[in-house]
Amino acid sequence: MNPEPHDDQPEPTGRPRAAVILNPIKVPDADEFRAKVDAALSERGYDDSLWLETTVDDAGYAMAHRAIEETADLVVVAGGDGTVRVVCAELARTNIPVAILPAGTGNLLARNLGITLDLDVALAELLDGTEQRIDSVLVKGDQLDTDRFVVMAGLGLDAAIIADARPELKAKVGWAAYVISAVKNLNHPFVRVEITVDDQAPVRRRARTVVIGNVGTLQANIPLLPDASPADGRIDAVVLAPRRVGQWPRLALSLLIKRLRESHIERFSGERIQVRAAKVVGRQLDGDTIEDGRTLSAEVDPSALVVRIPAPDRAGA
């Protein structure tokens, strides 16, 4: 059965229509932003764009469903990593292209897709760009309904850093707030984990953190998972396990210099990765903490999401 039309649904015009999902907290001047986006879309033939704002209680679920119901030809999402994750999760397998305008602190999917962090430039490059299919990752675990992520999921230190990066500090210093939080949490306790990749035998490790990634690069271009690609039909995982606080500097350096060997870093790759911790620990999905638990089970959904990216000759310009 087709959904009932909304009262403000316009009559079909034959021109493409965009839906813009905006987290108003992340955009300093929402009115100015709306005027810029409407003008840019209109110049490219989009008609009467549907504007949807996220709320404190809904990071984008209902908004994404509204865009699907009204058969939007393009969804533009402007918000942080959490808003992007929710919208991309709902749009997976719909074939509706998503244009991600970076407006948060991390902007990790945008960074890994070569999208500039300058909102005005990103808007032009994406609307004049091309489309690419990327993977989405199905994830489940104890105390967690089946969900999706597009960037990274983690447990242990990774989640503690995100939990301790206060919103007011992120507003003042941006992603450096995560660096400050990381320094505070360097002595985060170890947790014993069991890691299972595809149908291989489980391996057991003593880790500070385990991160499963669909992309590989963090802020400041730190390649946490240097072989990860959002379009390779695989997911990657990294285990960080320095025994002492004093070992963190060399570990950090080895992340930047690939040829520098570091025994406290171990990586895995496959289509399915399960991490089971011996005790309840903090967990996160794409930069948002979720309920503490013991397991994260991730499985790649290849080419599930269509995203807009800058044309090759304009990427990073």
Side-chain angles (χ1 to χ4, degrees), residues 61 85 89-90 137-141 143-149 285 297:
Y61 295 101
R85 182 188 73 81
E90 299 307 303
V137 185
L138 293 159
V139 62
K140 58 185 179 180
Q143 313 302 321
L144 174 65
D145 294 332
T146 299
D147 207 335
R148 290 178 182 262
F149 68 87
L285 296 181
S297 297

Side-chain angles (χ1 to χ4, degrees), residues 186 190 208 240-245 247-248 251 262 264:
L186 286 183
F190 281 100
R208 300 274 188 186
L240 304 182
R243 295 184 180 87
R244 299 181 298 276
V245 171
Q247 292 173 331
W248 277 109
L251 185 149
E262 173 53 62
H264 302 122

